[in-house]
Amino acid sequence: FYFRNKHRPFLLFVSLLHVHTPLVTTEKFQGRSRHGLYGDNVEEMDWMVGRLLDAIDKEGLKNATFIYFASDHGGSLEAHRGNAQFGGWNGIYKGGKGMGGWEGGIRVPGIVRWPGVLPAGTVIHELTSLMDIFPTVVHLAGGAVPQDRVIDGRTLLPLLQGTVQHSGHEFMFHYCGAFLHAVRWHQKDSGTTWKAHYATPVFQPEASGACFGRGICPCFGDGVTHHDPPLLFDLSKDPSEANPLSADTEPL
């Protein structure tokens, strides 16, 4: 695709099946990792991304191509066979894929490359969204987003270039299907990020952090607990969402 269009603007969207169950891994990469089939799958994905980047570099497009690499969700905790975890791992973050508002399902890294335009080695701790890709691409193409409707995304360019210090998202809403489960507020004057959970999945077993009994967490019904008042967390101090706040612990 990029060979045919290398002399004019192009958009290449690659949606990888890798690191998604059932972890289809070619023979060449099986047993390559110390972390089982999931690790093998990561290694093969890394190789595939490397092939793409090499092709862009060989065509002399390195400094003219904006590259964005990200995942659409965190690890799927219920995906396992015996003791082998097939759906990834979310580190200190609670919950996982398909759980509405918990950080483990929605907090993913984004990696950007555009040599000569964006400074290398920069780490940005601001929250962005995959919804931001649309206005960013429109911006890069010299277009304008539609004005007859609300566009939820914000162009990433000012944040990436350092002309602004904060994400354009003051609030972010976290849905499970059509149901609002949680919302976060980035309080710009203090830098604090608050998260309120209106509904959370009922974990099975309770301490597991996942819905192993059902195989996947539901978005509504008897598999969900509704919180009134909402469960409130200060993500700036408690990113693993272990200590819900109350008026007693947090007078403010």
Side-chain angles (χ1 to χ4, degrees):
F1 178 86
Y2 33 84
F3 298 116
R4 197 168 65 239
N5 290 282
K6 71 176 181 178
H7 297 300
R8 57 195 179 99
F10 64 85
L11 172 68
L12 175 64
F13 175 74
V14 181
S15 184
L16 293 156
L17 181 66
H18 282 61
V19 302
H20 196 294
T21 54
L23 299 179
V24 178
T25 311
T26 60
E27 203 172 319
K28 178 182 172 185
F29 283 90
Q30 287 175 19
R32 286 272 290 264
S33 162
R34 291 178 298 166
H35 299 283
L37 191 56
Y38 187 88
D40 296 344
N41 211 245
V42 171
E43 297 229 359
E44 185 162 16
M45 178 183 69
D46 183 60
W47 172 79
M48 292 165 73
V49 171
R51 291 289 303 272
L52 280 169
L53 296 183
D54 287 346
I56 288 167
D57 294 354
K58 282 172 188 163
E59 291 298 320
L61 297 169
K62 185 174 185 174
N63 289 1
T65 306
F66 175 85
I67 295 167
Y68 185 101
F69 177 88
S71 173
D72 57 345
H73 55 70
S76 175
L77 301 182
E78 290 88 0
H80 67 289
R81 186 185 297 163
N83 291 325
Q85 180 65 34
F86 273 22
W89 180 66
N90 298 319
I92 66 165
Y93 302 113
K94 191 169 186 175
K97 175 188 174 181
M99 296 189 193
W102 292 120
E103 288 291 279
I106 57 179
R107 187 188 283 240
V108 295
I111 303 170
V112 174
R113 188 185 87 152
W114 194 2
V117 179
L118 302 178
T122 305
V123 179
I124 297 171
H125 294 285
E126 291 290 297
L127 188 84
T128 62
S129 165
L130 290 180
M131 294 186 295
D132 297 335
I133 295 172
F134 169 61
T136 302
V137 168
V138 170
H139 182 141
L140 289 171
V145 296
Q147 299 298 306
D148 61 343
R149 70 204 74 179
V150 175
I151 301 297
D152 292 314
R154 305 277 192 274
T155 177
L156 293 167
L157 267 289
L159 195 60
L160 294 172
Q161 291 175 319
T163 57
V164 302
Q165 299 306 307
H166 293 297
S167 162
H169 297 284
E170 182 180 2
F171 295 94
M172 295 206 76
F173 298 87
H174 305 302
Y175 284 83
C176 186
F179 301 90
L180 179 65
H181 273 215
V183 62
R184 77 173 66 216
W185 174 36
H186 183 209
Q187 193 178 359
K188 289 193 169 57
D189 55 352
S190 70
T192 304
T193 300
W194 308 93
K195 170 100 93 51
H197 288 265
Y198 301 100
T200 54
V202 178
F203 293 144
Q204 300 168 313
E206 198 175 333
S208 67
C211 301
F212 290 113
R214 294 173 183 259
I216 188 167
C217 289
C219 295
F220 62 94
D222 62 357
V224 165
T225 302
H226 291 274
H227 303 282
D228 185 13
L231 281 180
L232 182 65
F233 297 94
D234 177 355
L235 292 183
S236 349
K237 295 177 183 168
D238 180 25
S240 56
E241 298 175 286
N243 305 300
L245 303 174
S246 70
D248 301 325
T249 59
E250 186 67 51
L252 171 67

